[in-house]
Amino acid sequence: MIQTATAENATAQRLFEKLKGVAVGTSGPYTWERCVELAPLVDEINRLKHEKNAVILTHYYVHPEITVGVGDFVGDSYKLAKDAKSTNASIIVFAAVKFMAETAKCLNPDKEVLVPSKQNGCSLADAITAERVRELRREFPEHTFVCYINTSAAVKAVCDVCVTSSNVYDIVQRIPSDKIYFLPDKLMGENVQDEMKRRGVQKDVQIFSATCYVHQQYDPERVLRLRGKYPGLKVLSHPECSPDVIRHADHVASTKGMMQYLRDTDAEAYLLLTECGLAGRAQVEMPGKTFIGPCVECRYMKSNAMQDILRVLRAPDEDDRIVLSDDVREGALRCINAMFHYAEMSG
Ligand code: 13P
Ligand code: SF4
């Protein structure tokens, strides 16, 4: 009993050390009392991970207590797909959104992949079905179908190549076809069209009509207002933002790319035009830096809670498990492997 109390205290201290300066959206501010409250959950999850040979993959957008307390890996969707590919664990708990967990399952058919999030959607992934893609393929028979990773495995299974925000421009450029159909993100698709022009690449890029409800909320007026208020501000944007917003950014990158830019630069303040969990993670890793601006949260990413991670590790329900038919898994894997092939090509 005394030993447990001491261990919990050490965990609370470890959490508080990392989280004490963090206060974004519904995450934080983290008080000492909150860290003491989280400590037994964190200890039990870490014990169960060890006992069951499980790993926890976490996206930057989830609550920082999860990435700091129990996450084994944190990253953007490309890094997490690679982490899922290389793990030796028997169980993968994916604290993010369902399409990322499905990708992990495609790469690990024999492992148990569990999702603790209560709201499993994504406004991009939910906007298109495999049936709709089949119709589009009949309409655009000569086009190579490129899908953003923010799609279901069923949609990937009927596309040719998958991309993430970290490799979309290079992959579209490298695909040996001058006719591309990009889905489902309209704004990212428009950014692809602009970037191909900028690179002098001649391709007909057709695009679907969905948007991310988080990233579409940013507008150029707000960026200009904040630039006026904070001289020396560096503006970082995710490629899911509109081209009008991206034109005002100092740097455009995936969440992992934005983190790297923050580490590599020294500015008076930063504005991160993405889901505000990234600012939380940046505060954890770079407590000396200043992050300003609006905090838009993704309800899907934020539906991951520590209690649910514990629950799925202890006794998962059927709904917590990723199950894919062989057809869908094999089709989606072909599309995901095509991404690894083009992403790892040099030049
Ligand atoms: P990243 O791959 O850049 O982390 O993006 C994932 C995502 O869902 C952005 O909204
Ligand atoms: Fe989907 Fe947007 Fe949430 Fe990313 S931020 S998971 S694209 S809804």
Side-chain angles (χ1 to χ4, degrees):
M1 188 67 188
I2 292 169
Q3 229 180 1
T4 309
T6 312
E8 279 178 14
N9 212 291
T11 304
Q13 276 185 11
R14 178 175 72 83
L15 291 175
F16 190 60
E17 203 44 50
K18 297 248 181 188
L19 295 171
K20 65 186 171 209
V22 179
V24 283
T26 51
S27 302
Y30 288 90
T31 58
W32 168 247
E33 289 70 27
R34 176 85 182 112
C35 293
V36 169
E37 203 183 302
L38 286 166
L41 275 172
V42 167
D43 283 346
E44 182 57 6
I45 290 169
N46 286 331
R47 191 191 66 74
L48 276 172
K49 264 183 0 190
H50 190 71
E51 185 185 296
K52 300 197 165 189
N53 188 24
V55 283
I56 302 183
L57 273 59
T58 63
H59 190 268
Y60 285 122
Y61 294 164
V62 302
H63 296 290
E65 73 229 32
I66 296 176
T67 57
V68 165
V70 299
D72 297 291
F73 299 94
V74 60
D76 64 4
S77 35
Y78 189 69
K79 176 182 179 290
L80 292 173
K82 292 195 81 166
D83 292 335
K85 199 175 175 202
S86 63
T87 182
N88 290 323
S90 323
I91 300 174
I92 297 173
V93 178
F94 218 126
V97 279
K98 190 177 180 187
F99 69 81
M100 293 189 192
E102 284 191 342
T103 301
K105 184 69 181 177
C106 292
L107 294 161
N108 295 283
D110 301 328
K111 295 191 204 298
E112 173 109 282
V113 179
L114 301 170
V115 279
S117 58
K118 285 224 171 67
Q119 288 196 57
N120 259 335
C122 160
S123 62
L124 289 173
D126 297 345
I128 189 158
T129 61
E131 194 38 50
R132 184 74 188 106
V133 179
R134 284 195 198 95
E135 283 168 14
L136 288 165
R137 292 201 80 130
R138 285 194 285 273
E139 222 178 295
F140 296 91
E142 294 184 351
H143 284 63
T144 298
F145 272 64
V146 176
C147 60
Y148 191 24
I149 198 161
N150 295 37
T151 45
S152 66
V155 163
K156 289 184 181 78
V158 289
C159 289
D160 301 307
V161 186
C162 169
V163 295
T164 75
S165 57
S166 67
N167 54 37
V168 54
Y169 301 140
D170 289 341
I171 291 185
V172 170
Q173 180 170 0
R174 284 170 192 165
I175 289 172
S177 161
D178 57 4
K179 291 189 178 68
I180 303 289
Y181 193 104
F182 180 77
L183 62 90
D185 190 344
K186 172 175 174 279
L187 301 179
M188 186 179 277
E190 289 171 356
N191 290 322
V192 170
Q193 291 171 331
D194 286 354
E195 181 65 16
M196 290 308 114
K197 271 191 212 121
R198 207 186 58 76
R199 293 182 181 196
V201 175
Q202 301 278 336
K203 292 205 189 214
D204 168 34
V205 180
Q206 299 288 326
I207 48 184
F208 195 68
S209 55
T211 52
C212 161
Y213 86 102
V214 172
H215 291 85
Q216 73 170 16
Q217 292 179 46
Y218 291 111
D219 62 81
E221 288 73 32
R222 199 192 266 190
V223 179
L224 287 172
R225 228 178 13 253
L226 288 166
R227 271 208 193 277
K229 200 165 159 197
Y230 297 92
L233 181 70
K234 288 273 185 228
V235 179
L236 282 68
S237 172
H238 195 275
E240 285 174 25
C241 292
S242 74
D244 284 350
V245 165
I246 281 192
R247 268 176 220 121
H248 293 285
D250 296 292
H251 188 62
V252 181
S254 74
T255 52
K256 180 170 177 277
M258 287 188 192
M259 287 294 285
Q260 196 54 49
Y261 183 88
L262 294 174
R263 287 184 205 106
D264 293 346
T265 58
D266 197 11
E268 304 211 352
Y270 295 92
L271 170 62
L272 307 183
L273 300 174
T274 190
E275 207 274 353
C276 85
L278 194 73
R281 181 67 197 177
Q283 286 175 7
V284 169
E285 288 190 29
M286 290 160 260
K289 297 204 173 193
T290 305
F291 303 95
I292 57 109
C295 181
V296 188
E297 291 193 313
C298 170
R299 62 176 166 271
Y300 307 110
M301 289 282 189
K302 290 297 192 276
S303 73
N304 286 276
M306 204 69 101
Q307 282 83 356
D308 290 307
I309 295 178
L310 181 57
R311 182 181 57 72
V312 302
L313 269 174
R314 273 189 181 146
D317 293 340
E318 276 317 298
D319 289 352
D320 304 322
R321 292 197 165 93
I322 297 290
V323 180
L324 298 172
S325 70
D326 288 348
D327 276 6
V328 164
R329 193 194 73 77
E330 284 160 19
L333 185 61
R334 176 194 37 73
C335 186
I336 295 162
N337 279 337
M339 167 179 75
F340 288 129
H341 167 75
Y342 285 114
E344 282 155 29
M345 235 178 200
S346 54

